């Protein structure tokens, strides 16, 4: 619960964060109350610690499946034979492309803002079309305007906020 609450806080979801925070504290108070009764018993303390660790693991797994928020993906390519931005656009992604110079010569840098749920699909596409590219992913807060790939279909959507 704490993991999902923290991610929701980072993403600006106030009401959801507050509700999960209240639920988290309620569970924590009940759990700690139970552990304090059995504090001299090392098995009880170990059980509490194992439960807490399991909760963190399960929370991270749930958050990974929810895949909330947005990501900025940068694809830096040295390939002169492949128009990475063009292929990504053909697949419905909104791409901003820059020309640059890297250590070994000319590069193209493509910026793509996507919903986090689309990240795996985009990475697979980039690996297929430009396997030697350098790819970075950053968390993105509240993008406004532009064209963004829609996760559920191949059409693009205008972001509105």
């Amino acid at each position: 619960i704490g993991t999902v609450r923290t991610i929701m806080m980072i993403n600006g979801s106030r009401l959801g964060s507050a509700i999960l925070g209240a639920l988290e504290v309620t569970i924590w108070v009940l759990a700690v109350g139970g552990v304090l009764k059995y504090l001299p018993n090392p098995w009880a303390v170990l059980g509490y610690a194992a439960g807490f660790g399991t909760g963190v693991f399960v929370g991270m797994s749930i958050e990974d499946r929810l895949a909330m928020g947005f990501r900025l993906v940068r694809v830096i390519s040295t390939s002169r034979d492949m128009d990475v931005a063009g292929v990504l656009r053909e697949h419905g992604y909104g791409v901003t492309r820059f020309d640059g110079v890297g250590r070994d010569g000319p590069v193209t840098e493509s910026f793509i803002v996507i919903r986090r749920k689309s990240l795996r699909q985009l990475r697979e596409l980039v690996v297929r079309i430009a396997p030697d590219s350098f790819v970075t992913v950053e968390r993105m807060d509240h993008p406004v305007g532009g064209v963004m790939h829609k996760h559920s279909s191949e059409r693009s959507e205008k972001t509105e906020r």
Side-chain angles (χ1 to χ4, degrees), residues 34-161:
V35 167
L36 288 177
K37 280 188 213 173
Y38 301 101
L39 197 54
N41 181 350
W43 291 108
V45 174
L46 185 62
Y48 176 77
F52 185 85
T54 301
V56 169
F57 181 83
V58 169
M60 289 178 73
S61 299
I62 290 170
E63 195 281 327
D64 196 42
R65 289 198 183 272
L66 292 174
M68 298 178 288
F70 298 89
R71 296 296 180 260
L72 168 64
V73 180
R74 289 181 213 193
V75 180
I76 301 173
S77 175
T78 57
S79 175
R80 295 172 194 208
D81 302 327
M82 171 62 64
D83 177 16
V84 175
V87 174
L88 293 174
R89 287 182 187 120
E90 287 173 9
H91 282 84
Y93 292 96
V95 182
T96 300
R97 180 180 165 229
F98 296 94
D99 292 319
V101 178
R103 184 189 72 185
D104 298 327
V107 298
T108 59
E109 186 173 8
S110 300
F111 283 52
I112 310 103
V113 176
I114 58 170
R115 293 187 184 280
R116 186 167 157 221
K117 290 181 180 185
S118 301
L119 183 57
R120 179 177 296 164
Q121 178 184 348
L122 175 60
R123 278 186 171 166
E124 289 171 358
L125 177 59
V126 169
V127 166
R128 224 175 34 246
I129 64 172
D132 294 331
S133 294
F134 177 66
V135 179
T136 63
V137 180
E138 298 175 34
R139 194 174 61 79
M140 168 73 59
D141 287 331
H142 310 293
V144 177
V147 177
M148 188 172 20
H149 184 261
K150 188 170 183 179
H151 176 65
S152 60
S153 73
E154 289 299 310
R155 325 180 290 127
S156 294
E157 66 175 326
K158 291 274 188 184
T159 58
E160 297 178 29
R161 282 224 156 158

